[in-house]
Amino acid sequence: MTVLWLLLLFLIIGGVFAADVKIVQLGDSYSSGVGAVATRHDYDETVIPECWRSSHGWGGQYAGHLLLAANNNYNVTYVNGACSGAKSHDLLQANLVSQKWGLCPFRRKRNTAEVFYNRTRFKLKCNKYAVPQINYVDPATDLVLLTIGGNDALFAQLLSNCILGISIREARKCLEIIAEARTTQVNYTETIKEALVEIWYKMGESGKIVVFQYPHLIQNYSRIWNDPRSGIYIDGPQLVRQFTEEGNHAYIVAAEELNTAMGVEFLTIYSKTMDLFANHEPDPRKHSRNDDRWISEFERPIGSVFHPNRRGHWEWGAAVALEGVFGIDLS
């Protein structure tokens, strides 16, 4: 009987002194949870299925680890506002997630806290928008986690042309996309910086934002395109790996600039992603396969290609949990 009373007292005291932590996840498909479930029907979202959100993604896994950690004693609230396909401007602006022929939903179902609809100019199609992701943030938010910039950097086109491409035409297209992405990088980096400041203002000074770098999407190998007639000589896979590293480094520079400008370290860059996924990337060579990969190739669910698989999301979330709450003040 005494043991039961002591256990009850422990639970009561633990509940009294537990720190409330609200975590909001924003960003693109690497944050929404793409690849974290077995089939598309297993994703959480019913209001915006186009966002492919899952609480089994690495952010939800991280929140779960905090909730269960006996020595941390946190009351965790986790909100996923990320959306597959999101670009930097979608952090502060509405994101067009679908456009279909026909009528929009009835007025009473048309606008919610997460979506809104309108008709095209000639009333033939209905546009469905996800609200700006900043709408998920409020003064009670302690921690914002996000990945962003991959869609701005044309990663899907880089993969299809520089890695999966087999012709000289695709090699030429690879060079064009790399050049375009590098040209626009300055612009979308500035857009991201402006959005991060606005998000932090909405959180309040005690909040912290953590931007997560992307992993390499393929193992370290080379494939040379050499066409003397056109003068093309490139190594597509190495170009993609190099460009990913350049983008990740740009976040570090941006964080230093913003923290200095604001006079407080509100922005942290999680720079361990590449090391975490090292040797667990897909092997894209013909007739080769990495059976210990944490990033999907062409397995189900369709649409999760070159995103963390279920093992990848679990490992990523567990690794992030080792950082605790990133030094935020919960007093």
Side-chain angles (χ1 to χ4, degrees):
M1 191 69 177
T2 304
V3 174
L4 291 176
W5 277 109
L6 288 174
L7 178 60
L8 179 61
L9 181 63
F10 173 79
L11 292 174
I12 293 173
I13 293 175
V16 170
F17 291 102
D20 293 327
V21 183
K22 183 175 181 180
I23 301 169
V24 175
Q25 184 132 25
L26 306 178
D28 53 26
S29 54
Y30 265 70
S31 286
S32 68
V34 169
V37 294
T39 71
R40 183 162 187 173
H41 301 291
D42 295 327
Y43 286 99
D44 302 338
E45 197 59 54
T46 56
V47 179
I48 321 177
E50 298 88 349
C51 285
W52 291 37
R53 292 172 180 159
S54 174
S55 57
H56 297 289
W58 62 266
Q61 300 276 2
Y62 162 65
H65 280 291
L66 287 185
L67 189 63
L68 296 175
N71 60 326
N72 289 338
N73 206 21
Y74 297 124
N75 290 324
V76 180
T77 301
Y78 172 73
V79 178
N80 190 348
C83 192
S84 178
K87 294 185 177 182
S88 56
H89 55 72
D90 296 320
L91 294 173
L92 300 182
Q93 300 176 19
N95 176 17
L96 178 64
V97 293
S98 71
Q99 187 179 71
K100 297 181 179 179
W101 294 98
L103 299 174
C104 290
F106 294 117
R107 184 173 298 277
R108 66 177 181 273
K109 296 182 179 180
R110 187 170 299 173
N111 300 326
T112 71
E114 295 188 276
V115 297
F116 64 91
Y117 297 82
N118 66 26
R119 302 293 299 279
T120 57
R121 180 179 178 184
F122 296 104
K123 310 297 183 183
L124 299 177
K125 294 182 180 179
C126 180
N127 299 322
K128 181 179 181 181
Y129 292 88
V131 298
Q133 293 189 19
I134 193 174
N135 287 21
Y136 291 91
V137 178
D138 59 28
T141 303
D142 299 295
L143 202 56
V144 168
L145 316 176
L146 76 157
T147 56
I148 196 69
N151 293 310
D152 298 88
L154 309 175
F155 258 29
Q157 296 180 52
L158 288 174
L159 289 169
S160 62
N161 289 279
C162 301
I163 295 176
L164 304 178
I166 58 175
S167 69
I168 292 299
R169 176 183 297 179
E170 288 163 321
R172 186 179 293 109
K173 186 67 175 177
C174 170
L175 290 174
E176 293 173 357
I177 295 169
I178 287 281
E180 180 182 351
R182 283 182 171 144
T183 300
T184 59
Q185 188 178 60
V186 174
N187 293 333
Y188 69 75
T189 300
E190 287 302 314
T191 301
I192 292 172
K193 288 165 65 176
E194 293 171 8
L196 294 177
V197 172
E198 292 299 320
I199 290 169
W200 179 60
Y201 282 153
K202 196 170 181 183
M203 297 170 69
E205 292 187 6
S206 62
K208 179 167 282 191
I209 301 172
V210 185
V211 175
F212 287 75
Q213 294 182 340
Y214 293 98
H216 279 305
L217 303 184
I218 55 170
Q219 290 189 324
N220 188 11
Y221 91 109
S222 294
R223 189 181 67 175
I224 305 296
W225 273 300
N226 184 14
D227 182 30
R229 290 180 300 176
S230 62
I232 291 179
Y233 183 90
I234 67 168
D235 186 339
Q238 289 300 317
L239 275 177
V240 173
R241 286 177 63 91
Q242 179 184 349
F243 184 65
T244 304
E245 292 172 4
E246 291 173 5
N248 283 344
H249 179 70
Y251 290 124
I252 295 176
V253 174
E256 292 174 351
E257 293 175 353
L258 288 177
N259 288 335
T260 299
M262 296 295 106
V264 60
E265 291 193 8
F266 76 97
L267 179 60
T268 296
I269 305 300
Y270 184 85
S271 58
K272 301 177 182 179
T273 309
M274 281 188 171
D275 289 339
L276 177 68
F277 279 83
N279 301 317
H280 299 291
E281 309 97 335
D283 184 343
R285 293 175 297 177
K286 191 175 182 180
H287 306 307
S288 296
R289 188 177 183 87
N290 181 7
D291 292 328
D292 193 25
R293 65 189 178 281
W294 297 353
I295 294 177
S296 297
E297 287 186 273
F298 300 103
E299 57 264 42
R300 291 181 181 274
I302 297 172
S304 64
V305 176
F306 290 107
H307 286 78
N309 56 24
R310 283 180 285 177
R311 174 72 183 277
H313 279 286
W314 190 93
E315 296 285 354
W316 202 353
V320 176
L322 297 177
E323 308 295 325
V325 291
F326 291 90
I328 58 176
D329 183 6
L330 298 173
S331 58

